[in-house]
Amino acid sequence: VLNSQPDLSLDQVPILHIDLDSFFASVEVLDDPTLRGKPVCVGGPSERGVIASASYEARQFGVRSGMPSSWALRLCPEIVLLPGRFWRYEEYSEKFHGIVADVTPNYEEIGLDEVFCDLRGLHLLGRRPLEVATQLRGRIQSELNLACGVGLARNKLFGKLASKRSKPRVVDGQLVAGPGVVVVDRATEIEWLNELPVGALWGVGPATTRHLENLGLSMVRDLARVDESTLIAHFGESLGTMLAAYARGEDAREVEVDRAAKSIGRDETFGQSLVGLDQAVVAARAHAGIVARTLRDRQLMARTISVKIRFDDWDDLTRSQTMPFGVDDEDAIASVATALLTTVDLSRSVRLLGVHVSNFMQRNENTVQLAFGLGDSPTNVKVQAEITSRERQVAREALREAIDEVRHRFGRDAVAVAAELGDEGIEVRGQRDRDVFGPSA
DNA sequence: TCTGGGGTCCTAGGACCC
DNA sequence: TCTGGGGTCCTAGGACCC
């Protein structure tokens, strides 16, 4: 405990942050106890994969999440590298959230393994923050067999730093236990913050760290001496304001309950890079199917469809098209994605391809939509089948317009490509047309 | 050594409307 | 003939988080 007087009031430390320890790897060990004590990692294969989660045994070898799997295996050849069972992690995550919800409805989910809670509502119950933190940690341990770190502070910034500080650490290859719960006292919090590197702040990643270090600002205490206007000049309005506030220990972000999703997507890095349009279209259709299913599961339709390409040299590119109506079916998403892909020069090989949708509307808000199920009685079937066929036609025409717009937007490039290719180019474009408007479109 | 997949948010420029 | 300013929406790219 970072604090001589840990039992502070709800007014002083209203924000609680919980972070489960090596979550994915811990779930794998629970489901297969023979793994206990071994260096277990969840992550992609050794070629083109990264570590998503590493047990503390693996961390003692220097393995970290985000590290390429090939590096991890070089650091520790006896690593048990598992591909990941995300449905299983989601089940555990739901149980975790259930325990939190038992204590307060006022919590925000961050990924599967973290939550922020705003404990102010517990005031009337006469509860103390430290008691709540200890109880939650105890229940997660006893009911789920999962360890976690808990931070208590005046805001999210310190809450997150505190939970991190509460966890076990690897020092010189040796595992050192953490306190489990850390309470941050307002009297000493700035001293602590000042001694941290700028990269410890939320929102400061590798690029911003590099930029700050180039300005001679490597520690939070350095940052705290710089004017907000100077930071805004270098980092823009939003990031500049944020850096100035965080450097003073101020963080006005609220705990947001039930945040609605804003995009859904599927990315895939291929073991062997794709070459040419045809392979890209096949991959895009597979992604479109998964994305469409997720949309329907959530009763959503999407107006914007994007494709993302990463070439072998790590050059990234995105193309998107927004339509005046929403779609939630594989054919529509695949058709637009394909049209977008035809606007990209795919002569370089592609290591990653993604299909994403956004700009959601509720299904019943959509004015132009495909009709789904038919009615029960034979009469209903007939009447509804007519409606279905008319609606389908309207939807198909609307979709075709959207695809035409893609072609129109990139028309000049398409003409240039065709001209360069000569007569063969015309053939290629004809082939593309069949892909876009084929039987399934 | 060589870099995933799920996302969110911000910026800047252009088109368009009033 | 030459000239606003504000607001919204869309696109593309980039940084960041878990």
Side-chain angles (χ1 to χ4, degrees), chain A residues 113 160 203 205 207-208 303 318 320 322:
Chain A
D113 63 343
K160 172 100 174 125
T208 308
R303 286 180 50 224
T318 61
S320 70
T322 298

Short mmCIF file of all heavy atoms in Angstrom, two decimals, chain A residues 113 160 203 205 207-208 303 318 320 322, chain C residues 9-18:
data_model
loop_
_atom_site.label_atom_id
_atom_site.label_comp_id
_atom_site.label_asym_id
_atom_site.label_seq_id
_atom_site.Cartn_x
_atom_site.Cartn_y
_atom_site.Cartn_z
N ASP A 113 -10.66 -8.33 -19.52
CA ASP A 113 -10.01 -8.63 -18.24
C ASP A 113 -9.78 -7.41 -17.35
O ASP A 113 -9.02 -7.50 -16.39
CB ASP A 113 -8.68 -9.34 -18.49
CG ASP A 113 -7.68 -8.48 -19.26
OD1 ASP A 113 -8.11 -7.49 -19.87
OD2 ASP A 113 -6.50 -8.81 -19.24
N LYS A 160 -5.55 3.12 -12.64
CA LYS A 160 -4.86 2.17 -13.52
C LYS A 160 -3.40 1.99 -13.10
O LYS A 160 -2.89 0.86 -13.06
CB LYS A 160 -4.97 2.68 -14.95
CG LYS A 160 -4.17 1.95 -15.96
CD LYS A 160 -5.03 0.98 -16.73
CE LYS A 160 -4.24 0.33 -17.86
NZ LYS A 160 -4.27 -1.11 -17.78
N GLY A 203 -2.41 6.64 -22.90
CA GLY A 203 -2.47 7.39 -24.15
C GLY A 203 -1.12 7.79 -24.70
O GLY A 203 -1.05 8.38 -25.77
N GLY A 205 1.99 6.23 -26.15
CA GLY A 205 2.57 5.00 -26.68
C GLY A 205 3.95 5.27 -27.24
O GLY A 205 4.57 6.30 -26.95
N ALA A 207 5.10 6.14 -30.24
CA ALA A 207 5.32 7.31 -31.10
C ALA A 207 5.37 8.60 -30.28
O ALA A 207 6.26 9.43 -30.46
CB ALA A 207 4.21 7.40 -32.15
N THR A 208 4.43 8.74 -29.34
CA THR A 208 4.41 9.96 -28.52
C THR A 208 5.59 9.99 -27.56
O THR A 208 6.17 11.05 -27.30
CB THR A 208 3.07 10.04 -27.75
OG1 THR A 208 2.00 9.87 -28.69
CG2 THR A 208 2.92 11.38 -27.06
N ARG A 303 -23.85 1.18 -42.27
CA ARG A 303 -23.88 2.00 -43.49
C ARG A 303 -22.51 2.13 -44.13
O ARG A 303 -22.42 2.51 -45.29
CB ARG A 303 -24.42 3.40 -43.16
CG ARG A 303 -25.94 3.45 -42.90
CD ARG A 303 -26.39 4.86 -42.59
NE ARG A 303 -25.87 5.78 -43.59
CZ ARG A 303 -25.33 6.97 -43.35
NH1 ARG A 303 -25.26 7.42 -42.11
NH2 ARG A 303 -24.88 7.71 -44.32
N THR A 318 -6.36 1.91 -46.25
CA THR A 318 -7.78 1.60 -46.05
C THR A 318 -8.60 2.27 -47.14
O THR A 318 -8.22 3.32 -47.67
CB THR A 318 -8.31 2.11 -44.68
OG1 THR A 318 -8.17 3.52 -44.63
CG2 THR A 318 -7.58 1.48 -43.53
N SER A 320 -12.92 3.00 -47.92
CA SER A 320 -14.24 2.83 -47.34
C SER A 320 -15.31 3.49 -48.20
O SER A 320 -15.02 4.39 -49.00
CB SER A 320 -14.27 3.41 -45.92
OG SER A 320 -14.19 4.81 -45.96
N THR A 322 -19.49 4.78 -47.69
CA THR A 322 -20.69 4.93 -46.88
C THR A 322 -21.91 4.98 -47.79
O THR A 322 -21.88 5.64 -48.82
CB THR A 322 -20.61 6.22 -46.05
OG1 THR A 322 -19.50 6.11 -45.16
CG2 THR A 322 -21.87 6.43 -45.23
P DC C 9 -23.84 15.01 -39.36
OP1 DC C 9 -25.16 14.45 -39.11
OP2 DC C 9 -22.78 14.98 -38.33
"O5'" DC C 9 -23.25 14.32 -40.67
"C5'" DC C 9 -23.82 14.59 -41.95
"C4'" DC C 9 -22.85 14.14 -43.02
"O4'" DC C 9 -21.79 15.11 -43.14
"C3'" DC C 9 -22.18 12.80 -42.69
"O3'" DC C 9 -22.40 11.90 -43.75
"C2'" DC C 9 -20.70 13.13 -42.55
"C1'" DC C 9 -20.56 14.44 -43.33
N1 DC C 9 -19.47 15.31 -42.84
C2 DC C 9 -18.54 15.81 -43.76
O2 DC C 9 -18.67 15.50 -44.95
N3 DC C 9 -17.55 16.61 -43.31
C4 DC C 9 -17.46 16.91 -42.02
N4 DC C 9 -16.46 17.70 -41.63
C5 DC C 9 -18.40 16.42 -41.06
C6 DC C 9 -19.38 15.63 -41.51
P DC C 10 -21.95 10.38 -43.58
OP1 DC C 10 -22.97 9.58 -44.25
OP2 DC C 10 -21.56 10.11 -42.18
"O5'" DC C 10 -20.61 10.34 -44.44
"C5'" DC C 10 -20.64 10.79 -45.79
"C4'" DC C 10 -19.23 10.84 -46.32
"O4'" DC C 10 -18.53 11.92 -45.66
"C3'" DC C 10 -18.42 9.57 -46.04
"O3'" DC C 10 -18.01 9.01 -47.28
"C2'" DC C 10 -17.23 10.03 -45.20
"C1'" DC C 10 -17.18 11.54 -45.46
N1 DC C 10 -16.65 12.34 -44.34
C2 DC C 10 -15.50 13.09 -44.53
O2 DC C 10 -14.94 13.07 -45.64
N3 DC C 10 -15.02 13.84 -43.51
C4 DC C 10 -15.65 13.84 -42.34
N4 DC C 10 -15.14 14.59 -41.35
C5 DC C 10 -16.83 13.08 -42.11
C6 DC C 10 -17.30 12.34 -43.13
P DT C 11 -17.28 7.64 -47.31
OP1 DT C 11 -17.61 7.04 -48.59
OP2 DT C 11 -17.52 6.93 -46.04
"O5'" DT C 11 -15.74 8.05 -47.32
"C5'" DT C 11 -15.24 8.85 -48.37
"C4'" DT C 11 -13.78 9.12 -48.15
"O4'" DT C 11 -13.63 10.02 -47.03
"C3'" DT C 11 -12.95 7.87 -47.83
"O3'" DT C 11 -11.90 7.78 -48.78
"C2'" DT C 11 -12.41 8.11 -46.42
"C1'" DT C 11 -12.50 9.62 -46.27
N1 DT C 11 -12.74 10.13 -44.90
C2 DT C 11 -11.90 11.09 -44.39
O2 DT C 11 -10.95 11.54 -45.01
N3 DT C 11 -12.21 11.52 -43.13
C4 DT C 11 -13.26 11.10 -42.34
O4 DT C 11 -13.44 11.57 -41.21
C5 DT C 11 -14.10 10.09 -42.93
C7 DT C 11 -15.27 9.55 -42.15
C6 DT C 11 -13.81 9.66 -44.17
P DA C 12 -11.02 6.50 -48.82
OP1 DA C 12 -10.60 6.32 -50.22
OP2 DA C 12 -11.69 5.41 -48.09
"O5'" DA C 12 -9.75 6.93 -47.97
"C5'" DA C 12 -8.97 8.03 -48.42
"C4'" DA C 12 -7.83 8.23 -47.45
"O4'" DA C 12 -8.34 8.86 -46.25
"C3'" DA C 12 -7.17 6.93 -47.00
"O3'" DA C 12 -5.78 7.03 -47.30
"C2'" DA C 12 -7.46 6.82 -45.51
"C1'" DA C 12 -7.78 8.25 -45.11
N9 DA C 12 -8.76 8.37 -44.03
C8 DA C 12 -9.90 7.64 -43.85
N7 DA C 12 -10.58 7.98 -42.78
C5 DA C 12 -9.84 9.01 -42.22
C6 DA C 12 -10.02 9.80 -41.07
N6 DA C 12 -11.06 9.67 -40.24
N1 DA C 12 -9.08 10.74 -40.80
C2 DA C 12 -8.05 10.87 -41.63
N3 DA C 12 -7.76 10.19 -42.74
C4 DA C 12 -8.72 9.26 -42.98
P DG C 13 -4.78 5.86 -46.91
OP1 DG C 13 -3.78 5.85 -47.98
OP2 DG C 13 -5.51 4.63 -46.56
"O5'" DG C 13 -4.10 6.43 -45.60
"C5'" DG C 13 -3.66 7.78 -45.57
"C4'" DG C 13 -3.27 8.14 -44.17
"O4'" DG C 13 -4.46 8.34 -43.37
"C3'" DG C 13 -2.46 7.05 -43.46
"O3'" DG C 13 -1.28 7.64 -42.94
"C2'" DG C 13 -3.38 6.54 -42.36
"C1'" DG C 13 -4.25 7.76 -42.10
N9 DG C 13 -5.55 7.44 -41.52
C8 DG C 13 -6.46 6.50 -41.95
N7 DG C 13 -7.54 6.45 -41.20
C5 DG C 13 -7.32 7.42 -40.23
C6 DG C 13 -8.14 7.83 -39.14
O6 DG C 13 -9.25 7.39 -38.81
N1 DG C 13 -7.55 8.85 -38.40
C2 DG C 13 -6.31 9.40 -38.68
N2 DG C 13 -5.90 10.37 -37.86
N3 DG C 13 -5.54 9.04 -39.69
C4 DG C 13 -6.10 8.04 -40.42
P DG C 14 -0.11 6.71 -42.36
OP1 DG C 14 1.14 7.26 -42.92
OP2 DG C 14 -0.46 5.29 -42.51
"O5'" DG C 14 -0.14 7.04 -40.81
"C5'" DG C 14 -0.37 8.39 -40.40
"C4'" DG C 14 -0.69 8.40 -38.93
"O4'" DG C 14 -2.10 8.14 -38.75
"C3'" DG C 14 0.06 7.33 -38.12
"O3'" DG C 14 0.66 7.96 -37.01
"C2'" DG C 14 -1.04 6.36 -37.71
"C1'" DG C 14 -2.25 7.27 -37.64
N9 DG C 14 -3.52 6.58 -37.77
C8 DG C 14 -3.89 5.64 -38.70
N7 DG C 14 -5.11 5.20 -38.52
C5 DG C 14 -5.56 5.88 -37.40
C6 DG C 14 -6.81 5.82 -36.73
O6 DG C 14 -7.79 5.12 -36.99
N1 DG C 14 -6.86 6.69 -35.64
C2 DG C 14 -5.83 7.51 -35.26
N2 DG C 14 -6.05 8.27 -34.18
N3 DG C 14 -4.66 7.59 -35.87
C4 DG C 14 -4.60 6.74 -36.93
P DA C 15 1.83 7.24 -36.24
OP1 DA C 15 2.99 8.13 -36.33
OP2 DA C 15 1.91 5.82 -36.67
"O5'" DA C 15 1.32 7.22 -34.74
"C5'" DA C 15 0.79 8.41 -34.18
"C4'" DA C 15 -0.06 8.03 -33.00
"O4'" DA C 15 -1.33 7.53 -33.48
"C3'" DA C 15 0.55 6.91 -32.15
"O3'" DA C 15 0.82 7.41 -30.85
"C2'" DA C 15 -0.49 5.80 -32.17
"C1'" DA C 15 -1.76 6.49 -32.64
N9 DA C 15 -2.63 5.60 -33.41
C8 DA C 15 -2.30 4.88 -34.52
N7 DA C 15 -3.28 4.15 -34.99
C5 DA C 15 -4.33 4.40 -34.12
C6 DA C 15 -5.64 3.93 -34.06
N6 DA C 15 -6.17 3.06 -34.93
N1 DA C 15 -6.44 4.39 -33.06
C2 DA C 15 -5.92 5.26 -32.18
N3 DA C 15 -4.69 5.78 -32.13
C4 DA C 15 -3.95 5.30 -33.14
P DC C 16 1.49 6.50 -29.76
OP1 DC C 16 2.09 7.42 -28.78
OP2 DC C 16 2.30 5.45 -30.40
"O5'" DC C 16 0.24 5.80 -29.07
"C5'" DC C 16 -0.78 6.60 -28.50
"C4'" DC C 16 -1.93 5.74 -28.10
"O4'" DC C 16 -2.59 5.24 -29.28
"C3'" DC C 16 -1.52 4.50 -27.31
"O3'" DC C 16 -1.76 4.74 -25.94
"C2'" DC C 16 -2.42 3.40 -27.84
"C1'" DC C 16 -3.25 4.04 -28.93
N1 DC C 16 -3.39 3.21 -30.13
C2 DC C 16 -4.63 2.65 -30.43
O2 DC C 16 -5.58 2.88 -29.69
N3 DC C 16 -4.75 1.87 -31.54
C4 DC C 16 -3.70 1.65 -32.31
N4 DC C 16 -3.88 0.88 -33.38
C5 DC C 16 -2.42 2.20 -32.05
C6 DC C 16 -2.31 2.97 -30.95
P DC C 17 -1.26 3.63 -24.88
OP1 DC C 17 -1.04 4.34 -23.62
OP2 DC C 17 -0.19 2.80 -25.48
"O5'" DC C 17 -2.54 2.70 -24.73
"C5'" DC C 17 -3.78 3.27 -24.37
"C4'" DC C 17 -4.82 2.18 -24.31
"O4'" DC C 17 -5.21 1.84 -25.66
"C3'" DC C 17 -4.25 0.91 -23.70
"O3'" DC C 17 -4.90 0.56 -22.51
"C2'" DC C 17 -4.50 -0.17 -24.74
"C1'" DC C 17 -5.39 0.45 -25.76
N1 DC C 17 -4.98 -0.02 -27.10
C2 DC C 17 -5.85 -0.82 -27.83
O2 DC C 17 -6.96 -1.05 -27.35
N3 DC C 17 -5.46 -1.29 -29.03
C4 DC C 17 -4.26 -1.00 -29.49
N4 DC C 17 -3.92 -1.50 -30.68
C5 DC C 17 -3.35 -0.19 -28.78
C6 DC C 17 -3.73 0.28 -27.58
P DC C 18 -4.25 -0.63 -21.65
OP1 DC C 18 -4.58 -0.33 -20.25
OP2 DC C 18 -2.86 -0.86 -22.07
"O5'" DC C 18 -5.10 -1.89 -22.12
"C5'" DC C 18 -6.50 -1.92 -21.95
"C4'" DC C 18 -7.01 -3.24 -22.46
"O4'" DC C 18 -6.77 -3.33 -23.88
"C3'" DC C 18 -6.31 -4.45 -21.83
"O3'" DC C 18 -7.27 -5.42 -21.45
"C2'" DC C 18 -5.41 -4.98 -22.93
"C1'" DC C 18 -6.12 -4.55 -24.19
N1 DC C 18 -5.21 -4.31 -25.34
C2 DC C 18 -5.47 -4.95 -26.55
O2 DC C 18 -6.45 -5.70 -26.63
N3 DC C 18 -4.64 -4.75 -27.59
C4 DC C 18 -3.59 -3.93 -27.47
N4 DC C 18 -2.80 -3.76 -28.52
C5 DC C 18 -3.30 -3.27 -26.24
C6 DC C 18 -4.13 -3.48 -25.20
#
